[in-house]
């Protein structure tokens, strides 16, 4: 496939729907909180449960995905921490720099992208990786964001137990292990499929609305460095992690690499705003917002090239 055809089939749908959300946010000042709540508590859990219970991913493959995500996150954390300290960043700016460099947008960007690029397998892997990222963000992410504020980050990590995606994964895997998955043509599964399918365009609309509220004023050197790590370094570390773990299914391996190379996650804006120290909270927030915006826009090019490399077999 050519770069143009890949862009048209896998990237353009993501861009168009997100752009519609961006335009809506600018024109009407839409608050994304209500849509976020519906997605987090209803649509996304339905997508996770239906995708995992109907997917062909085996237990060994799921374990490989977990190990690859963990290995990648550890490597990115080490590199981002080192680069941030070498370039003179101090807390809480350092924590914000690490967050935007390490954590990708595997949810409202990655799930639709993987679905368009790799079909049902892409969606199944994406919802699993998104659930893992949710756990990491609300534990490790909170610690990184709050470590310079003087507050108790450990006390706030309990928020992970309020994320429905985690329970959807547990219930789905338990249902598969017990052989208690309802038939795909049952009313329950068809309802979950309907809700799950609705989550994909809604996620992209939320992404666009959130980007419309981003303030672009920040330290451009730091934003550029963090963006380069997220879009250029992350794919190589993701590839190294996948190769180190080993995957029997090359399609699953390619989807994992693609997801971990997506732009900076929008959730990092929330974490820095909620937990970053107040003395430098404004500049830290600007760094995060500007990096989210820049990486999302620039990813139209970088992700297109990566999808082409993965689909043509140039990589993996």
């Amino acid at each position: 496939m050519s770069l143009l055809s890949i862009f048209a089939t896998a990237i353009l749908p993501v861009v168009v729907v997100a752009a519609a959300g961006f335009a809506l946010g600018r024109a009407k000042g839409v608050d994304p909180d209500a849509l976020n709540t519906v997605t987090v508590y209803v649509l996304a859990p339905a997508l996770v449960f239906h995708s995992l219970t109907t997917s062909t991913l085996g237990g060994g493959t799921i374990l490989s995905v977990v190990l690859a995500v963990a290995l990648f996150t550890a490597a990115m954390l080490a590199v981002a921490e080192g680069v941030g300290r070498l370039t003179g960043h101090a807390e809480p700016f350092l924590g914000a720099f690490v967050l935007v460099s390490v954590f990708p947008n595997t949810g409202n960007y990655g799930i639709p992208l993987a679905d368009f690029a790799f079909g049902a397998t892409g969606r199944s892997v994406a919802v699993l990786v998104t659930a893992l990222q949710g756990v990491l963000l609300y534990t490790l992410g909170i610690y990184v964001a709050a470590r310079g504020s003087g507050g108790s980050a450990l006390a706030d990590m309990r928020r992970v137990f309020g994320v429905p995606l985690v329970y959807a994964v547990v219930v789905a895997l338990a249902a598969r292990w017990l052989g208690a998955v309802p038939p795909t043509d049952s009313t329950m599964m068809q309802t979950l499929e309907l809700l799950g399918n609705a989550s994909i365009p809604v996620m992209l609309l939320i992404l666009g609305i959130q980007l419309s509220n981003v303030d672009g004023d920040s330290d451009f050197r730091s934003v550029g460095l963090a963006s380069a790590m997220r879009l250029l370094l992350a794919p190589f570390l993701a590839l190294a992690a996948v190769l180190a773990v080993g995957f029997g299914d090359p399609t699953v391996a390619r989807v994992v690499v693609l997801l971990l190379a997506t732009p900076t996650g929008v959730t990092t804006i929330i974490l820095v705003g909620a937990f970053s120290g107040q003395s430098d909270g404004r500049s830290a927030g600007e760094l995060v917002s500007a990096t989210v915006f820049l990486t999302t826009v620039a990813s139209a090019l970088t992700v297109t090239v990566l999808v082409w490399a993965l689909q043509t077999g140039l990589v993996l």
Side-chain angles (χ1 to χ4, degrees):
M1 298 179 70
S2 67
L3 285 173
L4 183 60
S5 63
I6 288 174
F7 177 81
T9 57
I11 310 300
L12 188 58
V14 174
V15 172
V16 169
V17 180
F22 185 92
L24 185 63
R26 287 290 192 187
K28 298 297 184 180
V30 178
D31 186 346
D33 288 347
L35 284 175
N36 263 325
T37 300
V38 171
T39 301
V40 169
Y41 287 94
V42 180
L43 301 182
L47 175 65
V48 168
F49 184 86
H50 184 271
S51 296
L52 290 182
T53 53
T54 59
S55 78
T56 57
L57 298 179
T61 300
I62 292 174
L63 179 60
S64 294
V65 172
V66 173
L67 292 175
V69 171
L71 183 58
F72 165 83
T73 303
M76 282 295 293
L77 273 171
V79 174
E81 187 78 23
V83 171
R85 291 185 182 277
L86 287 174
T87 51
H89 292 130
E91 299 292 0
F93 203 87
L94 175 60
F97 179 85
V98 172
L99 280 177
V100 297
S101 301
V102 173
F103 291 102
N105 191 346
T106 58
N108 53 12
Y109 186 106
I111 291 176
L113 174 65
D115 188 32
F116 287 125
F118 291 99
T121 299
R123 180 190 295 196
S124 297
V125 176
V127 296
L128 175 59
V129 173
T130 298
L132 296 173
Q133 285 290 309
V135 173
L136 290 171
L137 269 169
Y138 284 100
T139 51
L140 187 59
I142 286 177
Y143 170 76
V144 172
R147 62 187 180 181
S149 65
S152 175
L154 293 176
D156 292 303
M157 290 180 184
R158 65 181 181 273
R159 291 176 60 172
V160 70
F161 297 106
V163 179
L165 291 178
V166 177
Y167 299 105
V169 171
V170 173
V171 173
L173 295 180
R176 286 186 55 168
W177 184 66
L178 295 172
V181 178
T184 55
D185 59 351
S186 65
T187 301
M188 175 183 174
M189 292 299 283
Q190 289 182 342
T191 302
L192 289 172
E193 182 181 16
L194 178 65
L195 290 171
N197 288 338
S199 71
I200 293 178
V202 172
M203 284 178 178
L204 289 174
L205 288 172
I206 292 172
L207 174 61
I209 294 170
Q210 288 172 325
L211 290 177
S212 72
N213 296 321
V214 164
D215 181 0
D217 295 330
S218 187
D219 176 353
F220 292 108
R221 175 173 172 270
S222 297
V223 171
L225 183 57
S227 299
M229 292 180 63
R230 176 90 297 277
L231 295 179
L232 302 180
L233 176 63
F236 291 99
L237 290 184
L239 177 60
V242 163
L243 292 175
V245 171
F247 281 79
D249 188 337
T251 301
V252 174
R254 290 166 185 153
V255 175
V256 172
V257 172
L258 177 62
L259 290 167
L260 297 179
T262 52
T264 299
V266 178
T267 308
T268 57
I269 299 176
I270 300 171
L271 294 186
V272 168
F275 301 105
S276 182
Q278 295 302 311
S279 61
D280 195 28
R282 183 172 182 272
S283 61
E286 289 171 352
L287 167 68
V288 175
S289 297
T291 305
V292 168
F293 186 85
L294 178 59
T295 56
T296 302
V297 173
S299 68
L301 174 60
T302 61
V303 170
T304 298
V305 174
L306 181 58
V307 171
W308 170 79
L310 291 169
Q311 288 189 344
T312 57
L314 185 63
V315 175
L316 295 174

